[in-house]
Amino acid sequence: MGIVSIGNQTITEFVLLGFYDIPELQLLFFIIFTVIYASIIIGNMLIIVAVISSQRLHRPMYFFLANLSFLEILYTSTVVPKMLEGFLQEAVISVAGCLFQFFIFGSLATVECFLLTVMAYDRYLAICYPLHYPILMNPRWCLGLVVTAWLSGFMVDGLVVALTAQLKFCGPSQIDHFYCDFMPLVKLACSDPRVAQVTTFILSLVCLTVPFGLILTSYARILVAVLRVPAGASRQKAFSICSSHLVVVSTFYGTLMVLYVEPSAVNSVLLSKVFSLLYTVVTPIFNPVMYTLRNKEVHQALQQLFYIKHTETLEGGGW
């Protein structure tokens, strides 16, 4: 349990309860989420390696995709290892460690909101303005968009964490969640959390609804452009790719909006944890799949990479 000093009742540690209420499934959950976590790491690493190693993939779309894959690796690695620990034993985390986890995870979630918007904008320019695309999406502009997305995400969440760190936690020391998030932390505060709550609500509203609106606008214009193309395989492919991307984006933004903009809509702690799993574990494994499943260039780059490695292994073995 969390250590509490008798004098001022200041907590120095928290216990992450995770899915404690279903103990009979702890081992099964550990195995399932270990496999999912390994798949997320391997899948996203393959995309990064493919983009770096293949000259044909040195284009804006794949540059953004590699950034998204790198983000997903950091994103899940911030939360999942501690969650896996909780399936096997009591997961204890210091207050400082808890705030740090909240800062990194929250910042990366915000970065992903901005990065998905940039990727949608990139597809909009590529499809609606193909002749001007190389000029509009030049390397310098691409780098600027990515750097802005990363810096903005950490700045936004840095403000939220700074306000949360001002709160006093006097007990209990148990967080009924599998990672340190804003709402579970605020519930344990014994000082007035209203400033932090209002600030978080406003920032969440802006950082979620504005990017999501821009994404929907981009795909709506893409849809209009595709409808002007004569019916055929290319038109069907465009619809298929856009619908796949929108499913992942809607799942990610939808769950975040429910939990951070309208938390009262989730009146069950278990339901809140399930929603959290959607954007902490499910979307990170779907993102590389959905963005590369129908992409022949990525498939070819990976095949070439494995073929070269296989050939080098055979040559090194004296075949």
Side-chain angles (χ1 to χ4, degrees), residues 34-64:
T34 298
V35 172
I36 292 175
Y37 180 51
S39 301
I40 291 170
I41 300 299
I42 295 171
N44 284 289
M45 279 297 298
L46 285 175
I47 291 174
I48 294 171
V49 172
V51 171
I52 293 174
S53 63
S54 177
Q55 190 69 32
R56 290 187 303 175
L57 301 185
H58 291 179
R59 303 206 305 270
M61 180 176 74
Y62 299 109
F63 174 63
F64 298 138

Side-chain angles (χ1 to χ4, degrees), residues 4-5 8-11 14 167-173 188-191:
V4 180
S5 63
N8 57 8
Q9 295 290 295
T10 302
I11 293 173
F14 289 119
L167 301 176
K168 293 182 180 179
F169 302 99
C170 307
S173 60
L188 301 181
C190 53
S191 55

Side-chain angles (χ1 to χ4, degrees), residues 59-62 64 117-138 141-142 145 218-219 221-223 225-226 229 238 241-242 245 297:
R59 303 206 305 270
M61 180 176 74
Y62 299 109
F64 298 138
T117 308
V118 170
M119 293 175 73
Y121 176 64
D122 171 70
R123 290 300 82 209
Y124 160 68
L125 291 180
I127 294 173
C128 299
Y129 300 97
L131 297 179
H132 301 285
Y133 177 73
I135 299 173
L136 294 172
M137 272 296 174
N138 59 74
W141 179 241
C142 291
L145 288 173
S218 297
Y219 278 109
R221 295 194 173 187
I222 289 172
L223 180 62
V226 170
V229 177
I241 292 174
C242 287
H245 293 184
E297 291 181 315

Side-chain angles (χ1 to χ4, degrees), residues 22 44 63 67 69 83 122 136 147 170 235-236 272 286:
I22 38 180
N44 284 289
F63 174 63
N67 268 272
S69 294
M83 179 177 71
D122 171 70
L136 294 172
V147 170
C170 307
R235 180 172 169 177
Q236 185 178 358
S272 174
F286 276 172

Side-chain angles (χ1 to χ4, degrees), residues 145-165:
L145 288 173
V146 167
V147 170
T148 301
W150 281 89
L151 290 179
S152 299
F154 279 86
M155 287 174 62
V156 168
D157 208 68
L159 176 59
V160 175
V161 174
L163 292 173
T164 307

